[in-house]
Amino acid sequence: MNFLGGPEKLTYEKVQKVVMNNSDFTPDEAREFHALIDEFGKLYLRNRDQFLTSWLRDANFNEHILNQF
């Protein structure tokens, strides 16, 4: 089971393909989006308590995802 609760292992390439096939990002926008995700991870994905201070704290994640922290 992957981090998002799905059956298959996620790789960077699989996620990149899904995002690129379902968006109209320019290469510069894609780089900026990646940087934002990276910065979010550095700030809020250190542990569960830190995540719960983020703007995603009210998102409807299942317990499996939250237990990854």
Side-chain angles (χ1 to χ4, degrees), residues 12 29-39:
Y12 182 86
E29 290 169 332
R31 281 189 284 278
E32 178 66 17
F33 183 60
H34 181 271
L36 291 170
I37 292 170
D38 199 35
E39 288 303 310

Side-chain angles (χ1 to χ4, degrees), residues 10-55:
L10 290 177
T11 64
Y12 182 86
E13 290 78 17
K14 287 179 185 178
V15 174
Q16 179 186 32
K17 185 176 180 179
V18 169
V19 170
M20 295 309 290
N21 287 338
N22 293 290
S23 71
D24 57 355
F25 285 151
T26 66
D28 286 339
E29 290 169 332
R31 281 189 284 278
E32 178 66 17
F33 183 60
H34 181 271
L36 291 170
I37 292 170
D38 199 35
E39 288 303 310
F40 179 88
K42 289 176 188 175
L43 292 171
Y44 297 109
L45 298 182
R46 294 182 183 162
N47 60 58
R48 184 183 181 119
D49 291 334
Q50 191 68 24
F51 175 78
L52 293 175
T53 67
S54 78
W55 57 272

